[in-house]
Each structure stands twice: as C-alpha cells, then as structure tokens.
Amino acid sequence: MGSGKRGLIAAAVTVVCAVTVLAAPGMAFAAPSPTPSTSPSSSTPATVSNKDLEAVRKKLEKLYHDAAVATDEYNAAEEAAEKQSAEIVSLAKRIVKGQERLAELKKRAGAAAAAQYRSGGLPDEAHLMLSDDPQAFLDGTGRVLQGQRATKGLLAEMTRTQQDLEQYAKDASAQWQKLEAGRKAKAAAKKKIKKQIAAAEELESQLEEEEKERLAELEEQAAYKAQTAWLDSGILKDIKGKASKKGREALEYATAQLGKPYEWGAEGPKTYDCSGLTSQAWASAGRGIPRTSQEQWKQLERIDIKDMRPGDLIIYNADASHVAMYVGDGAIVHAPRPGRTVTVAGAGTMPILGVVRPDA
C-alpha cells in the first residue's frame, strides 16, 4: 500500500466516530496468535501498522456502539408506537359506544319530554282539582314521581356520557401527538443508525484483505484478553446456578438461532438484533419482556452475578446498549452487530453492567 493509501487510513482513523466490540464466533476461549506488522521496503508497498489497525478497531467499536444505542432508541419508539396505536383504537371503540349510548339516552329523554307535553304541563294541584277520581290521581302521582326521578337519572347519565366522550377525545388526541412524536424519534434514530453503520463500512472498505484479516485478529485478541481477565477473577467458581424450566426453553430458542444474521430492529425469525433475540427467546418461553436492552435493564429483576444461571440476561456497557443470554460455563449467546451472525462468545468479552432475570 502506498503513502496515499496510508494517509487515507490515517485520515479515516482521525475523522470517523460510533459500537461495542463483540467477540468473533468461536474465539472467546482460545488465544489468537498476533500477526507481525510488515516492514516497508523499497520493493514492497507499505502496509498499515498494527498500531494504526488498533486505532481502526477502536473507531469501529465506537461506531457500532453508537449504532447499537440508536437501535435501542428506534426499538423503543417502535414499541411505544404499537402501544399508542392500540390505545387510540381502544379509545375510538369507546367513543363509538359512547356515541351510541348518548343517542339512545337522547331518544329516551325525548320520549319523556313528549309525554310531559301531552299531559299539558299542568301542575299536580290542577290535575287533582280536575280529576273525577282523586284516588286514581294520587296513584298516578306516585308513578309520575317515579318517572321524574328516572328522568333526572337519565339526564345525569347523559351528562356523564357526554363528559366521557369529551375525555376520550382528549386522550385520543394526546396519544396521537405522542405517536407523531414517536414517529419523528424513530426516523431520527433510523437516520443515525444508517449513518454510523455506513461510516463503519466506509472505514473497513479502506483496508486490503490482508489488513482486514489482521483487524479481525486484533478484535479476537481484545476479546480473548477481556475474557481471560474475567475468568482469572475466579468468578466461575461462584456461578453454580441451574436453569429454570422457562430459562431452558428460552435458551433453546436462542441457541436455535445460531448463524442467523444480525439486523438492527429485527425480531426474527430470519434476522435479529441483540434485544430482539433475547425478547423473542423469552416470549417463546411464555414470558413477555421489554423489547430493548435498556428497558430490560430497567424493568427486570437484577441478580448478583454470582447467582447467575443459564437463561439470565447479561446487560453490557454503562448505557445498557447491549444484551446477551447466559449459556453457562462462562459463555453467552447473542446477536453481536451488523455484519455478524448470532453466535456464542465469552461472557466477559465486553464490559458487564449487570444481570437480570426475566422469570425471577
């Protein structure tokens, strides 16, 4: 590679910014051997040094991390939109029923008013003086009083129904405004995701095949180093939990997806993002959980890492931007990032924020 190519890579390293480094499949437990950098000579084009490639690796890590954060934002907006749409439909049904009830009440109120008109609207004393049978009048007066009370109740119900309709309309309007705001948030997140992934792909496209191989080795070495440090802490000797029945079912679903491509915003069955995989795995076990890794961290019960058992979810990064399912023996199954497939990796290959249990 000439000096022009080398300058292009250096410029890309300086300028590009956005995810999480996720271990390559099968490399979580074996130390990769480093590839020595090639020394430039007058007859051989200069190659990108390992130092430059390490800078590229870190830039790619940030790019894909930022894409993962934006993916969570997109998924959250999508989930909220589904709930808001369902609420709008529910409110619309209530409005229709309320309108039908109000029409019925108005009809009954009209009939009562017509009956009063036919009676001439005379006061009870006048009816008594004009009646040939005072006892019959008194008996009828009791029925009239009952009718008056019924009419008052009818008018009160009409008022309540009208008030309910007005409230339903306000609620529907509020939900619609939230839905519109959610659509804008989703569109912004989508734009951000595409921008980060495009930047990562552009950066990688500047590398020759041999440099891409060396970059993959650097990623493997970083993952191995992190996993080794995690295991050397002695953590595994404290983790002895056995999977629950639902945990086993969720784990069976997740591992059955091995080899399927990562796709942001996807929930299967052909492609997944990280939280799409974990939420669908637990849904298959009959336990609905939040759609995003951040909400899984917020809403599910947190478990001490030493009490972790297969099927539990490990949340990664300080911003809870990634999630994986614990398999056991220090391993996880997860959907890593764009360009990768659902795979098994070391649980300690990324910075662990904490552990949550869907069926606690």
Side-chain angles (χ1 to χ4, degrees):
M1 177 186 300
S3 59
K5 177 67 175 295
R6 184 181 179 87
L8 189 58
I9 294 295
V13 170
T14 303
V15 173
V16 180
C17 46
V19 59
T20 310
V21 150
L22 305 170
M27 299 306 295
F29 310 103
S33 54
T35 301
S37 57
T38 306
S39 300
S41 66
S42 56
S43 59
T44 306
T47 60
V48 177
S49 70
N50 276 2
K51 182 179 179 181
D52 284 344
L53 279 177
E54 177 62 15
V56 169
R57 185 190 71 79
K58 289 182 177 178
K59 287 295 181 184
L60 288 172
E61 181 178 303
K62 182 172 178 0
L63 283 166
Y64 284 122
H65 170 267
D66 289 354
V69 172
T71 297
D72 241 20
E73 293 170 0
Y74 178 92
N75 291 335
E78 178 75 14
E79 187 176 34
E82 290 175 3
K83 291 179 181 177
Q84 286 151 6
S85 295
E87 182 62 21
I88 289 171
V89 170
S90 175
L91 287 166
K93 290 179 179 178
R94 288 186 223 170
I95 288 172
V96 170
K97 287 184 179 179
Q99 288 173 333
E100 291 173 349
R101 179 60 177 161
L102 188 60
E104 179 189 345
L105 292 170
K106 285 181 177 179
K107 184 178 179 182
R108 287 168 55 189
Q116 185 178 10
Y117 175 78
R118 286 193 298 272
S119 71
L122 294 173
D124 291 344
E125 294 84 353
H127 280 291
L128 179 59
M129 292 175 64
L130 296 171
S131 175
D132 294 330
D133 185 351
Q135 185 58 49
F137 168 75
L138 293 173
D139 292 341
T141 298
R143 290 192 295 274
V144 169
L145 290 173
Q146 290 177 354
Q148 288 176 343
R149 285 193 292 268
T151 300
K152 287 181 180 179
L154 184 65
L155 293 174
E157 186 175 355
M158 284 177 63
T159 300
R160 287 195 302 271
T161 302
Q162 186 66 49
Q163 290 171 343
D164 287 345
L165 283 170
E166 291 173 359
Q167 188 59 52
Y168 294 156
K170 288 179 182 177
D171 291 345
S173 177
Q175 290 297 332
W176 182 259
Q177 289 174 358
K178 289 181 182 178
L179 185 61
E180 286 300 301
R183 283 175 179 162
K184 291 179 181 178
K186 192 167 73 168
K190 183 176 182 179
K191 184 177 180 181
K192 192 186 301 182
I193 294 165
K194 289 188 172 182
K195 179 180 179 182
Q196 302 300 331
I197 293 175
E201 290 173 344
E202 173 64 20
L203 181 55
E204 288 183 289
S205 73
Q206 305 301 321
L207 302 174
E208 301 289 355
E209 284 305 313
E210 180 269 337
E211 290 162 352
K212 290 178 181 178
E213 291 174 4
R214 287 167 51 210
L215 177 62
E217 289 175 0
L218 288 175
E219 291 177 347
E220 292 163 7
Q221 289 168 23
Y224 173 79
K225 183 178 179 180
Q227 175 72 357
T228 300
W230 186 69
L231 294 176
D232 286 349
S233 70
I235 188 68
L236 274 189
K237 74 178 188 302
D238 295 323
I239 302 176
K240 299 173 183 176
K242 299 253 177 120
S244 64
K245 180 177 181 296
K246 286 189 179 295
R248 284 195 301 274
E249 292 174 3
L251 191 54
E252 286 172 5
Y253 179 98
T255 53
Q257 313 313 310
L258 288 170
K260 292 185 178 180
Y262 177 102
E263 181 182 2
W264 62 266
E267 300 176 79
K270 295 182 179 180
T271 58
Y272 295 88
D273 63 19
C274 66
S275 57
L277 177 65
T278 55
S279 60
Q280 287 302 305
W282 273 99
S284 75
R287 175 75 169 93
I289 64 173
R291 170 65 177 87
T292 69
S293 59
Q294 292 177 344
E295 288 304 311
Q296 288 170 9
W297 174 242
K298 288 178 184 177
Q299 297 185 35
L300 300 180
E301 184 169 338
R302 297 179 185 181
I303 302 297
D304 193 297
I305 197 166
K306 65 181 176 58
D307 298 322
M308 184 166 60
R309 66 190 187 194
D312 287 346
L313 304 182
I314 303 180
I315 309 295
Y316 291 95
N317 305 318
D319 53 8
S321 56
H322 190 70
V323 60
M325 183 176 292
Y326 186 58
V327 175
D329 295 326
I332 55 170
V333 57
H334 70 149
R337 64 159 171 87
R340 299 287 175 81
T341 61
V342 176
T343 189
V344 172
T349 54
M350 296 167 284
I352 296 175
L353 176 62
V355 180
V356 294
R357 179 166 295 164
D359 63 339

